[in-house]
Amino acid sequence: MTDFVLYDAAEIAVGPGVDEPIETIEDAAIAVADGEVVAVGPTDEITREHPPENAADSLDASGNAVVPGFVDPHTHALFAGDRSDEFEAKLRGKTYQEILADGGGILKSVRAVREASEDELVSNLLGHLDTMLAHGTTTVEVKSGYGLDTETELRMLAATGRADEQHPVDVVPTFMGAHAVPQGRDADDYVDEVCEEQIPAAAEQGIATFCDVFCEEGVFSVEQSRRVLKVGREHGMTPKVHAEELAHIGGTKLAAELGATSADHLLHSTEEDVDALVEADVIPVLLPGTAFGLGAEYADARGMLDQGAPVAIATDFNPNCHSHSMGFAQSLACVGMRMTPAEALRASTTNAAAALDLGARTGTLRERAPADFAVVDAPSFRHVPYQYGTNLVETVVKAGERVHG
Ligand code: NIG
Ligand code: FE
C-alpha cells in the first residue's frame, strides 16, 4: 500500500534536470512507500494509480510548492550558551580574530561546552534540530570542536549520535578537534594531541564520518591541517577543510590535494584554487550567512559556477552565525552572491548532499529518492529565497512520515 500521497501541488521541484538547473512539474502529485518516492508526476496520472483515499496519509497541497528537504552540509549546531555580547562587539568594529585572540569566540563556546553535561548537549541540539526541521531541513551535518580536549570532543560526538537517534532530521557527524588552538597551548603541541589521542579515541567511539580542520592564518597552517586530515583518513574519517575564510593560505589546494569531500567558506579563493577543486571533484560549500554576519565580502559563487563547480550552500549555524534557515541562506546566495533561485535550490539539495557523500538521489524527489520534502506556502520554489526573512515551510515529510506541520 502507498503510505503517503500528496496531490494537487501547484509545483513539485523534483531536482536538477538534464539541461535545466531544476526540473519542476506543475499541478503535481507524489506517492511514497517504505520511506521512498515511488511515483511523481501530474496529479491525475499519479492519483489514478495511487488514490489518496487508499493511502495511510494524504495531503491536499493546492496552492503550494513542494521542494526536496534541504540538506545543510556545514554547521556547528552543538554548543552551549550564546555569544550575543560578541554580536554587539562586532557591530562596534571588533573583528572575529580580535575576539578569538582575547579568549572569546570559539574559546568562549569551548568553556561553556566543557561545563555542559552530555544530557544538556543532547537537549540543546534537539532544540536546534526542531527549528531546522521547521525551516525545511531534513539532513544536517554537525561538527564537534567546542571541546578541544579528548573527553569533551568525545562527549560532543556522543551527544550528536544520541540526538540523531532521537530526532527525525538525519545528522551527519564530523570530528573537528582542530577547530582552534586551546588557550595557553602551542599549536604544534595541540596538533600532536589531536592526531595521537583525539582522532584514535573518536575513531574507536566510531561515530564521526568526516574530519574537518580550521586551516586559517593564526589557527592551523596548511602543514598542520594536512597532518590532521591524513591521520583522520587513516582512522576512517573523510577530510573536509575550512579554507580561505579570513585569509588566503592554501587550504583550498590542500582540499584538492587530499581529495577532500568539500572545501568550505572560500571567501578568498582564487580562480586557480577553484580549478583545482573542480579537477579533484571537491564540492565548494559556501556559507553566505557567515559573510553576512562578519560584514565580509561574499564568496565568488558566480565565478565558481562559471568554472563548472557544483556549488553547495550551508547555514554554518553556530554561535557566531545564528541562523537555522536554509531559506535565508538561499536569499543571501541570491542577493549577496547573485545565484539564481534554481542554483540556490540545487546548492541546498543535490550539491549539498554531494558535500556529505550522500547518494545521488538524496536532495531530489525522483523515483526511489528518500521521501524527504517540504511543502511551502507559495506556488513556486522561487519564493523561498524571494520572500526573505519569512519561513514559508508549512509541512515537512521525512522518510515518508509527516514530521512537522
Ligand atoms: O565555520 N571558522 C570556524 N568555524 C566556524 C565558526 C565557529 C565559531 O565561531 O564558533 C565557521 O564559521
Ligand atoms: Fe565552520
Side-chain angles (χ1 to χ4, degrees), residues 52-69:
E53 56 278 16
N54 294 349
D57 191 9
S58 64
L59 182 67
D60 176 347
S62 307
N64 297 336
V66 177
V67 292

Side-chain angles (χ1 to χ4, degrees), residues 74 76 143 242 265 287 316:
H74 182 139
H76 306 255
K143 301 176 201 293
H242 280 61
H265 284 291
L287 309 164
D316 194 19

Side-chain angles (χ1 to χ4, degrees), residues 187-188 191 195 213 219-229:
D188 275 324
V191 168
C195 293
V213 58
V219 191
F220 297 103
S221 67
V222 170
E223 292 70 33
Q224 289 164 338
S225 302
R226 182 185 286 111
R227 181 166 167 223
V228 168
L229 295 174

Side-chain angles (χ1 to χ4, degrees), residues 74-76 79 83 86 96 100 105-107 109 143 145-146 176 179 212-214 216 242 245-246 264-265 287 290 294 316-321:
H74 182 139
T75 83
H76 306 255
F79 57 87
R83 303 205 321 243
E86 294 177 4
Y96 184 83
L100 185 62
I106 294 174
L107 297 171
S109 299
K143 301 176 201 293
Y146 293 124
M176 198 175 177
H179 192 196
D212 198 343
V213 58
F214 192 10
E216 187 61 57
H242 280 61
E245 177 186 353
L246 306 167
D264 303 37
H265 284 291
L287 309 164
T290 315
L294 293 173
D316 194 19
F317 173 61
N318 74 67
N320 179 59
C321 178

